[in-house]
Amino acid sequence: MKNLWRSSCIFGCAAAALLLAACSGPQVGRVSGEGEVVYEDAQAVETVTTKWGSTDLQSTAESMAQSLLASKWIAQASAPPRVRLRDVRNYTDEHIDTKGITDKIRIKLLNSGQVRFLTDKGNMDDVFEERDLNELATKRRENKLMLDADYIVTGSVRSIRKRTKNVGDVYYQITLELTDPQSGEVKWADEKEIRKRTTKPKIGW
């Protein structure tokens, strides 16, 4: 009987010690806050609203990158050409982070090994400062090469939005062009079209 009582005490003390350590020590595993946050598949089709979303960005970048890589100016080039991506102009009636489009296209093209990229306009000041380009541009040949792109990629996003009492419709047109900056000749162009429709919810619109 005495041994049984002693075992129970030891077990109870051990359980209390574990509980105290769990409460006071660092937690490993799931940490929750207010509300509920759930991780989803980043590649899943997103249809929350008809506004520009992650699926639109992903499908546009994939389509344009594959089309550009298949063009003879890239696929049949004797050496990977130097390309600079310019800003994609947003002519829609909503805010679209178009740099997200160019960044994703750049990653896909770079990973292909068929294209070399020069720094974009947004990062040029940092590069100039780092290499002191203003002072050395006439002395170092590699600085001139950094400025000379074989091609530049430009583009735009446009939309047409219509709505009736029960239906909302939005059409996106994304276009890209590959241009020779020396001659101004457009070597390649393609477009991606996206259309979304939504119906009137039971409550609100």
Side-chain angles (χ1 to χ4, degrees), residues 76-130:
Q76 300 176 22
S78 57
R82 296 186 299 268
V83 175
R84 177 172 284 117
L85 273 170
R86 309 294 288 185
D87 293 339
V88 172
R89 298 183 181 275
N90 178 18
Y91 295 110
T92 71
D93 58 356
E94 62 181 284
H95 171 73
I96 296 178
D97 181 10
T98 57
K99 195 174 186 305
I101 301 174
T102 56
D103 284 350
K104 203 163 188 65
I105 291 175
R106 180 186 292 106
I107 291 171
K108 290 182 177 296
L109 295 179
L110 274 174
N111 288 341
S112 74
Q114 295 178 246
V115 176
R116 291 182 295 167
F117 271 98
L118 302 181
T119 187
D120 57 28
K121 184 178 179 181
N123 296 325
M124 189 66 77
D125 288 342
D126 292 335
V127 175
F128 282 1
E129 181 179 353
E130 183 69 21

Side-chain angles (χ1 to χ4, degrees), residues 131-141 143-144:
R131 300 182 62 179
D132 201 13
L133 186 61
N134 291 330
E135 180 181 348
L136 301 176
T138 59
K139 299 179 183 178
R140 295 177 60 176
R141 182 172 179 271
N143 283 342
K144 183 177 185 303

Side-chain angles (χ1 to χ4, degrees), residues 35-186:
E36 182 180 3
V37 177
V38 180
Y39 280 96
E40 299 287 356
D41 181 5
Q43 303 299 318
V45 175
E46 178 264 305
T47 56
V48 177
T49 69
T50 57
K51 291 185 177 181
W52 181 268
S54 60
T55 300
D56 305 318
L57 185 151
Q58 292 165 350
S59 63
T60 296
E62 180 68 29
S63 174
M64 290 299 191
Q66 291 301 323
S67 177
L68 182 54
L69 289 173
S71 70
K72 67 178 183 179
W73 309 105
I74 304 298
Q76 300 176 22
S78 57
R82 296 186 299 268
V83 175
R84 177 172 284 117
L85 273 170
R86 309 294 288 185
D87 293 339
V88 172
R89 298 183 181 275
N90 178 18
Y91 295 110
T92 71
D93 58 356
E94 62 181 284
H95 171 73
I96 296 178
D97 181 10
T98 57
K99 195 174 186 305
I101 301 174
T102 56
D103 284 350
K104 203 163 188 65
I105 291 175
R106 180 186 292 106
I107 291 171
K108 290 182 177 296
L109 295 179
L110 274 174
N111 288 341
S112 74
Q114 295 178 246
V115 176
R116 291 182 295 167
F117 271 98
L118 302 181
T119 187
D120 57 28
K121 184 178 179 181
N123 296 325
M124 189 66 77
D125 288 342
D126 292 335
V127 175
F128 282 1
E129 181 179 353
E130 183 69 21
R131 300 182 62 179
D132 201 13
L133 186 61
N134 291 330
E135 180 181 348
L136 301 176
T138 59
K139 299 179 183 178
R140 295 177 60 176
R141 182 172 179 271
E142 58 268 31
N143 283 342
K144 183 177 185 303
L145 291 176
M146 188 187 69
L147 296 174
D148 291 341
D150 296 312
Y151 302 110
I152 60 173
V153 177
T154 58
S156 63
V157 182
R158 290 177 168 82
S159 68
I160 299 174
R161 190 179 299 274
K162 292 186 177 180
R163 179 175 294 175
T164 64
K165 183 178 179 181
N166 297 313
V167 178
D169 180 272
V170 60
Y171 164 82
Y172 292 101
Q173 180 193 40
I174 306 96
T175 60
L176 287 183
E177 294 182 349
L178 183 75
T179 305
D180 183 336
Q182 302 301 321
S183 66
E185 180 181 359
V186 176

